[in-house]
Each structure stands twice: as structure tokens, then as C-alpha cells.
Amino acid sequence: MFLGRVVGQVWATVKSPDLEGKRLLVVEALDERREPGAPKVTPVVAADPLGADVGQHVLVAFGKAARVACGGDGDFALEAAIVGIVDDFDIPGAPASWRVDLQREDA
Amino acid sequence: MFLGRVVGQVWATVKSPDLEGKRLLVVEALDERREPGAPKVTPVVAADPLGADVGQHVLVAFGKAARVACGGDGDFALEAAIVGIVDDFDIPGAPASWRVDLQREDA
Amino acid sequence: MFLGRVVGQVWATVKSPDLEGKRLLVVEALDERREPGAPKVTPVVAADPLGADVGQHVLVAFGKAARVACGGDGDFALEAAIVGIVDDFDIPGAPASWRVDLQREDA
Amino acid sequence: MFLGRVVGQVWATVKSPDLEGKRLLVVEALDERREPGAPKVTPVVAADPLGADVGQHVLVAFGKAARVACGGDGDFALEAAIVGIVDDFDIPGAPASWRVDLQREDA
Amino acid sequence: MFLGRVVGQVWATVKSPDLEGKRLLVVEALDERREPGAPKVTPVVAADPLGADVGQHVLVAFGKAARVACGGDGDFALEAAIVGIVDDFDIPGAPASWRVDLQREDA
């Protein structure tokens, strides 16, 4: 699982039936090597069963964990999903930019 | 899953029987670090059950998700597949180059 | 599995039910290319069934291994977990910085 | 799956019983960032159920797909296999070096 | 699977019960970009059911393959294992440094 920020959304009309009705969000991992606003690097597209918004911090899981998070029996045609909307984190030494848009700015 | 663009096709006569009759497309992930026309980096080869064309934007899934997308019981000898043909995306701050060839240019 | 150091913790109120009650730690892999205190690179978020503390060295596993480590039947919505708290390691040539905070400094 | 070129072979006497009798080939992904003859980067070792030769272009799959390709029930102790020997590919803009050793040079 | 060299060992008293009694070796992939003695990059920790020694060349597998190699039913809390001790390899163009410590120096 990784800690990222929702940076966008994707729409597809022609898609695997398992993806019908699922929000597909674009999530970028937090990475100290990059400044906010810097070029984005291959963001992940994750199904969102939790209702996250652009700008929110989230946890993303891959593989079977992602399918389980979407409520199925593990046989969905998806392999990345948001499994948590992050309220706060405590990572001593992390750059201030990581906290931009964090829900609990005062935490 | 990742957001990419179909950049080509591959043909193999000698192959795992599970790949018989499947279109094998070459997909490159969108990545802000690269300009269009720049050298390609290890593109993914994905089975295509949806009929995507070169130039189209697609979602690619790995592992069991890919096998499910191809209609099987999860025991195919393939581990990457196109699970969606992208109509449009909204990623504030993404480079204009990402929208090249996008179906809905005016979105 | 990789050898890392716990660098923080994450909290999420809205999350996949499988993550209820689980500590979510942020773990960074040891990497000789980086000096201690250097910018962090995409740390992993791992469930912690063992009670590791910030600063401790740990082993992290992914996928089904992570779910098994958390005591379930492999169907949890998580895909990274701490599977060992490292007492010591012997890696000739590893930088001294890797041993910072190691439990057995005198080993 | 990725598109690569067979660059060598590996032999192991002491090995997991599931690997007995299996050819183990070393495959390097095509990557525009590298010139032919440039230093190799962490090549993959893949079981070869198809009889590929050094220099041939191949498709490599990971995980369960690789085990299925080797004819088993998915419980082999291997996680990479050659699933196709590539005759030809059409990737507009790919460097000429990618076609070196390709079976159908005139395609 | 990848081709690496055993560079060390790790010990953990507090660990997932599935790891009890298992040797945990640190393995670094061969990579032409690095010279011997250069800084190590995020080495993998792999369970060793074969009895490999530091300095030996090995094949490492991930995921279910690793669990099968360790003799279980695939439900172990580990996801990397040594599946072969390499006697020799033939990779034309590979740097001489790759053969350091290789069992069959004269091969």
C-alpha cells in the first residue's frame, strides 16, 4: 500500500463489465523527491469505493486487496483501489508539501 | 492500473495456447517526465479484449484482473490486459501532451 | 520482502472495514543510495500485527503473505504488512547509516 | 507482460524441484533509453516452455500466468516464463535497434 | 525471477510464526549499472530453503512461487525465496564483475 494524493479522475465508456459504475481516480504517490506542482510521474488509476475527492490523501492497495475492498469475491477486473482516506499522518522529517490539502492541517 | 496510450502491436506465432486469437497491444504509460516523441521506456504488452486502436488512451490492469477481463476463470497465461478505453480524464496540471489523441479533445 | 525502517504512522477514519483496528505504519526501505535524513522516496504503508515502533528495523512482505501475517484467510483489503522486527543483520559493506537505531548496536 | 530479447541462460543444480528440467533463460526488456550493447540492467530469469533461442524476441509473463504457461496447476515455484516468441511488432517511432535479431526483418 | 548474489543475512526474534526456523538472506540483483563494491540498492530479503551461502549466485522468486518453494501450501507469510543456487550462466556481454564468486569460474 502507498500513501498518495488524488490528482484527477478518468472516464471510460468501453470497459470491462466489472468496472461499470465504479469511480476511477488518478492517485499520485507522495515522494520527497518531487515538489508540489512538479511533473507527475505515471500516476496510478484506482477504483474508489470510499468516495474520495481530488486533493485528498488516500491509501491505495493493489491486487486481491483492491478487489476485496470493492466488495467482490476477488474476481473483479481491477487491481488497484483506494482502501483508506487519510485524516492525518506523523512522519518526522517529511516535507511540508506532503501536508498540503491534508484534512487535519492542525494535527 | 495505469493510464496509457496504445503505441503498437506484437505478433507471435509460437505462443502459449491461452494467447491464441488474442490481440497483443503495446501500451506506454503516460508520464510527465517524458515528452511525446521521446524514447519509449519498457512498454507493457497487454491483451486487448476491447478492440482498442493505436493512439487511443487505455487503462491497463495486471495479474488476475487482466485474466478476468479476458473472460476466463483466472487461469490464462497472460498477466496484463486493457480493461478500459478512456474517453476523457480530468487531471489538473497534467501536461497538454497527455491529451494528444484523446477521444474527447473538447472535453 | 524488503528490509526497512519504520518512519511514521498514518490514520484513516474512512477506510475499508478490513483495516479497522490495524496500525498502519510507514516504512522506508534501506537503500545505500540515500543518506539518513535525505528526502524520503515513496514510502510503503504496511499493516503492523507485531507492534513495531518508529525507528525500528522491520521486514515487510506484500500480497497474500501480508494478509496471512495479519491473521486472516488471505482475503483482507491490505497488501503490505510487517512480518518481522529485525534484531540484527550482517551485510558486509553496508553503510554504517543502515545500523542507526538497530536494536543490537553491538552485534 | 513485457517485450524483451533473450540474452543468455542460467544453470542451477541445487534448485526447487519444480524447476527440474526447465530451461532458464535470461531476458532483457526492450527499452529506448538503452542502446544495444549498453550495460544490462537487472535482467529477468524466465522459464522457457517454448524453446526460444538467445537473440530472439519474446513475451514474458509473471506470476500465475507464468506457471500456467509451464503447464502446471499454478503451484510451481517459478514466477516468470516466456509465453510467446515474437515474429514481428509494429511500434511506430521505436528505435531501429529494437528490430536487431527480429525474425521478420523485412516485415 | 531474478539473478542475484547473496550479500548478507537478517535475524528477527519477533516475527510472523510462518518465518520461524527460516533463514532470511539478503540478495542483491546483478545489474550492469553497478560496479562490485558500489552502494547497494534496496536488497531483497528472501527465505532460503536451499542452504545458500553469502557470495553465492542465486535465483529469487516472488509471491506464490516463493511460498511453494518453501514447502507450504502457498499460505506462508513470506513472498520472496531462493529457488536455485546458480552454478553457471552464459550471458554474452555481461560484465566480468558478474562472475565474481561464481561457483564455476572456469565455465
Side-chain angles (χ1 to χ4, degrees), chain A residues 13-14 16 39-40 75 79, chain B residues 1 32 64 83 85 87-88:
Chain A
T13 301
V14 177
S16 198
K40 289 175 181 56
D75 285 342
E79 46 89 15
Chain B
M1 295 177 287
E32 273 198 25
K64 186 167 192 177
V83 297
I85 299 178
D87 304 307
D88 197 10

Side-chain angles (χ1 to χ4, degrees), chain A residues 7 26-28 31 33-34 38-45, chain B residues 2-7 27-43 57-58 89 91 93-100, chain D residues 31 33:
Chain A
V7 298
V26 184
V27 183
E28 203 179 24
D31 183 334
R33 293 169 299 189
R34 293 185 53 246
K40 289 175 181 56
V41 294
T42 317
V44 165
V45 177
Chain B
F2 73 87
L3 173 60
R5 194 185 273 132
V6 181
V7 298
V27 183
E28 203 178 25
L30 295 185
D31 183 334
E32 273 198 25
R33 292 169 300 189
R34 293 183 53 245
E35 288 304 302
K40 290 175 179 55
V41 294
T42 317
H57 288 63
V58 294
F89 59 78
I91 306 176
S97 65
W98 281 23
R99 299 191 74 83
V100 172
Chain D
D31 183 333
R33 292 169 299 189

Side-chain angles (χ1 to χ4, degrees), chain C:
Chain C
M1 294 176 287
F2 73 87
L3 173 60
R5 194 183 274 132
V6 181
V7 298
Q9 186 164 358
V10 172
W11 294 273
T13 302
V14 177
K15 57 177 175 281
S16 196
D18 293 348
L19 295 180
E20 286 296 335
K22 291 199 167 52
R23 291 179 79 215
L24 296 169
L25 298 185
V26 183
V27 183
E28 203 179 25
L30 295 185
D31 183 334
E32 273 197 25
R33 293 169 299 190
R34 292 185 52 244
E35 289 305 300
K40 290 174 182 55
V41 293
T42 318
V44 165
V45 178
D48 173 29
L50 298 177
D53 289 322
V54 169
Q56 280 190 311
H57 289 63
V58 293
L59 293 179
V60 174
F62 292 97
K64 186 167 189 174
R67 292 184 288 271
V68 169
C70 287
D73 57 357
D75 285 343
F76 283 142
L78 63 88
E79 47 88 16
I82 293 173
V83 296
I85 300 178
V86 172
D87 303 308
D88 198 10
F89 58 79
D90 179 16
I91 305 175
S97 65
W98 281 23
R99 298 191 73 82
V100 171
D101 290 327
L102 190 64
Q103 295 192 334
R104 294 185 186 167
E105 293 290 350
D106 59 339

Side-chain angles (χ1 to χ4, degrees), chain A:
Chain A
M1 293 177 289
F2 73 87
L3 174 60
R5 194 184 274 132
V6 181
V7 298
Q9 187 164 358
V10 171
W11 294 273
T13 301
V14 177
K15 57 178 175 281
S16 198
D18 294 349
L19 295 180
E20 287 297 334
K22 290 198 168 53
R23 292 178 79 213
L24 296 169
L25 298 186
V26 184
V27 183
E28 203 179 24
L30 294 186
D31 183 334
E32 274 198 26
R33 293 169 299 189
R34 293 185 53 246
E35 288 304 302
K40 289 175 181 56
V41 294
T42 317
V44 165
V45 177
D48 173 29
L50 299 178
D53 290 322
V54 170
Q56 280 191 310
H57 288 63
V58 292
L59 294 178
V60 174
F62 293 98
K64 187 168 191 174
R67 292 184 289 271
V68 169
C70 288
D73 57 357
D75 285 342
F76 283 141
L78 63 89
E79 46 89 15
I82 293 173
V83 296
I85 299 178
V86 172
D87 303 308
D88 198 10
F89 59 79
D90 179 16
I91 306 175
S97 64
W98 281 23
R99 299 191 72 84
V100 171
D101 290 327
L102 191 63
Q103 296 193 333
R104 295 185 186 167
E105 293 290 349
D106 58 340

